[in-house]
């Protein structure tokens, strides 16, 4: 029996691109079903993340028009990661495998074929990885690759050049459901799930329509979220830095004592002022990093729901 595939697509203000996205995904599912690779019961599951435009109206219309389309409507905007998780957890008990991808069509839809092949070979997780960034501007390429290298340096395990385009089997989704943290960074959590995995390379295209939901400011915030959610290395680096500064201060104290014993005067205010500003800046930076972790502890202890679902479009709703 062919396995059921759900393609989970989080959407936030995507009315401009949804008609084309739905057309391509429908063609892909119908083609794979005709080839016998997936079950005809496979679906596209759109997740409306509190959109302010006509996104949910379009999703409802698609569902009424064709049973291949389903939808989840969140009560309010919860962010890309929470919306994606809501879709995956909704699909978990309905499918044998789920593929997550963005609505903007930058992820190559044709890579779905190779992902399904890898699944049928025994892989529970298949990562979609960009084959190159030749089409990116220098700034975009530099910041994006710097993002992955920074994550690795700070101890957050991620797959290089992989975003959220991936396939997960039902048992991998079951494993993911056991991670209960509120501060979600799925690119780092999914590798922790384990199970056999593989990589499928694809050429990432341009956004079909609409505006990017991840400008530089949001990417920096996303990186901070990932680092502090997955690693304590920044705090360890602060401890190491504090120890090194303490050693330097001991050396400086010994030097000043020797100079005082030899009757040599210690020159000027410049070194004193620089030291004060440097130490003050390091203290504020350290407090900021520690504050990030304390803030996350505060949010985790509240145990608030990561998302609330208003509506799920079922088969008999069409």
């Amino acid at each position: 029996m062919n396995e059921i595939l759900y393609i989970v697509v989080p959407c936030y203000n995507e009315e401009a691109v949804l008609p084309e996205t739905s057309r391509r995904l429908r063609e892909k599912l119908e083609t794979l079903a005709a080839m016998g690779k997936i079950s005809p019961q496979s679906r596209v599951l759109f997740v409306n993340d509190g959109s302010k435009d006509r996104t949910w109206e379009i999703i409802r219309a698609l569902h009424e028009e064709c049973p291949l389309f389903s939808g989840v409507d969140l009560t309010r905007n919860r962010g890309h990661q929470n919306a994606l998780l809501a879709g995956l957890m909704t699909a978990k008990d309905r499918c044998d495998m789920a593929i997550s991808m963005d609505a903007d069509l930058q992820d190559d839809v044709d890579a779905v074929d190779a992902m399904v092949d890898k699944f049928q070979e025994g892989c529970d997780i298949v990562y979609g990885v960009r084959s190159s960034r030749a089409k990116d501007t220098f700034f975009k390429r530099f910041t994006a690759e710097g993002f992955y290298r920074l994550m690795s340096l700070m101890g957050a395990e991620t797959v290089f050049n992989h975003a959220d385009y991936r396939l997960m089997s039902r048992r991998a989704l079951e494993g993911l459901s056991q991670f209960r943290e509120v501060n979600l960074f799925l690119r780092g959590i999914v590798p922790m799930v384990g199970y056999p995995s593989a990589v499928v390379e694809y050429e990432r295209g341009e956004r079909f329509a609409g505006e990017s939901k991840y400008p530089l400011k949001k990417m920096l915030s996303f990186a901070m979220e990932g680092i502090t959610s997955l690693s304590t290395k920044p705090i360890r680096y602060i401890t190491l830095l504090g120890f090194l500064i303490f050693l330097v201060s001991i050396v400086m104290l010994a030097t000043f004592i020797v100079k005082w014993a030899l009757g040599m005067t210690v020159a000027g205010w410049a070194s004193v002022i620089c030291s004060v500003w440097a130490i003050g800046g390091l203290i504020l930076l350290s407090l900021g990093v520690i504050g990030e972790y304390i803030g996350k502890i505060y949010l985790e202890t509240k145990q608030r729901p990561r998302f609330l679902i208003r509506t799920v479009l079922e088969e008999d709703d069409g």
Side-chain angles (χ1 to χ4, degrees):
M1 180 178 179
N2 294 328
E3 293 90 351
I4 297 175
L5 166 67
Y6 265 58
I7 299 180
V8 178
V9 186
C11 305
Y12 178 68
N13 294 342
E14 298 287 6
E15 64 175 1
V17 74
L18 271 180
E20 180 64 17
T21 302
S22 60
R23 183 188 69 80
R24 294 191 194 181
L25 292 179
R26 178 177 180 175
E27 287 181 357
K28 179 55 62 180
L29 287 186
E30 289 176 342
T31 300
L32 289 173
M35 295 170 62
K37 286 191 172 185
I38 62 173
S39 167
Q41 298 301 312
S42 299
R43 298 288 181 265
V44 176
L45 180 65
F46 292 110
V47 183
N48 179 41
D49 185 23
S51 299
K52 299 177 181 178
D53 60 3
R54 296 180 57 254
T55 293
W56 182 241
E57 295 177 33
I58 294 173
I59 294 172
R60 287 192 66 95
L62 288 169
H63 173 70
E64 292 169 1
E65 174 189 333
C66 176
L68 281 178
F69 298 110
S70 185
V72 172
D73 186 27
L74 302 187
T75 56
R76 67 183 184 90
N77 179 254
R78 292 296 297 147
H80 178 272
Q81 297 291 279
N82 285 297
L84 178 53
L85 183 68
L88 291 174
M89 293 302 99
T90 301
K92 174 170 65 71
D93 297 324
R94 296 171 167 84
C95 70
D96 299 295
M97 53 181 160
I99 292 178
S100 57
M101 64 183 300
D102 292 337
D104 56 17
L105 292 175
Q106 287 187 283
D107 298 325
D108 183 10
V109 175
D110 289 332
V112 169
D113 302 62
M115 288 183 173
V116 172
D117 289 341
K118 292 290 185 183
F119 168 80
Q120 293 173 343
E121 291 171 8
C123 295
D124 288 276
I125 302 174
V126 184
Y127 300 101
V129 174
R130 294 185 63 162
S131 56
S132 74
R133 288 185 175 272
K135 295 181 180 178
D136 290 348
T137 62
F138 171 78
F139 179 75
K140 174 65 176 175
R141 184 166 59 253
F142 176 79
T143 54
E145 293 184 351
F147 167 81
Y148 291 104
R149 291 193 173 95
L150 177 63
M151 296 293 292
S152 178
L153 177 66
M154 290 297 173
E157 181 185 351
T158 58
V159 178
F160 190 75
N161 271 342
H162 163 70
D164 286 301
Y165 189 22
R166 71 179 74 87
L167 178 148
M168 298 184 72
S169 68
R170 176 181 287 187
R171 72 169 179 170
L173 291 172
E174 289 285 357
L176 178 62
S177 69
Q178 296 180 42
F179 288 77
R180 308 306 303 170
E181 53 255 54
V182 173
N183 301 282
L184 278 180
F185 186 73
L186 293 176
R187 300 181 197 183
I189 293 175
V190 171
M192 295 180 185
V193 174
Y195 296 123
S197 64
V199 167
V200 168
E201 292 190 346
Y202 69 98
E203 188 72 27
R204 190 167 170 86
E206 299 293 331
R207 184 179 177 88
F208 181 80
E211 298 179 353
S212 172
K213 306 302 186 295
Y214 273 94
L216 178 60
K217 180 180 178 181
K218 197 166 183 179
M219 281 298 295
L220 291 173
S221 175
F222 192 51
M224 179 63 73
E225 180 77 19
I227 292 167
T228 54
S229 295
L230 299 172
S231 173
T232 58
K233 273 195 175 182
I235 291 181
R236 292 178 182 174
Y237 288 152
I238 288 174
T239 302
L240 178 61
L241 182 61
F243 180 71
L244 292 175
I245 291 174
F246 174 73
L247 291 180
V248 170
S249 68
I250 294 297
V251 173
M252 291 178 65
L253 177 61
T255 302
F256 292 149
I257 290 174
V258 171
K259 287 186 176 182
W260 174 79
L262 296 175
M264 300 171 61
T265 57
V266 179
W269 288 95
S271 59
V272 176
I273 295 300
C274 287
S275 298
V276 170
W277 278 94
I279 297 299
L282 287 172
I283 290 173
L284 290 175
L285 174 63
S286 302
L287 289 174
V289 173
I290 294 170
E292 284 286 332
Y293 283 93
I294 293 174
K296 280 183 167 47
I297 294 170
Y298 171 72
L299 293 174
E300 293 290 346
T301 55
K302 284 178 176 292
Q303 296 185 342
R304 290 176 175 172
R306 291 171 290 186
F307 54 84
L308 293 173
I309 295 176
R310 177 185 288 117
T311 306
V312 177
L313 299 178
E314 304 286 0
E315 291 285 335
D316 54 359
D317 294 333

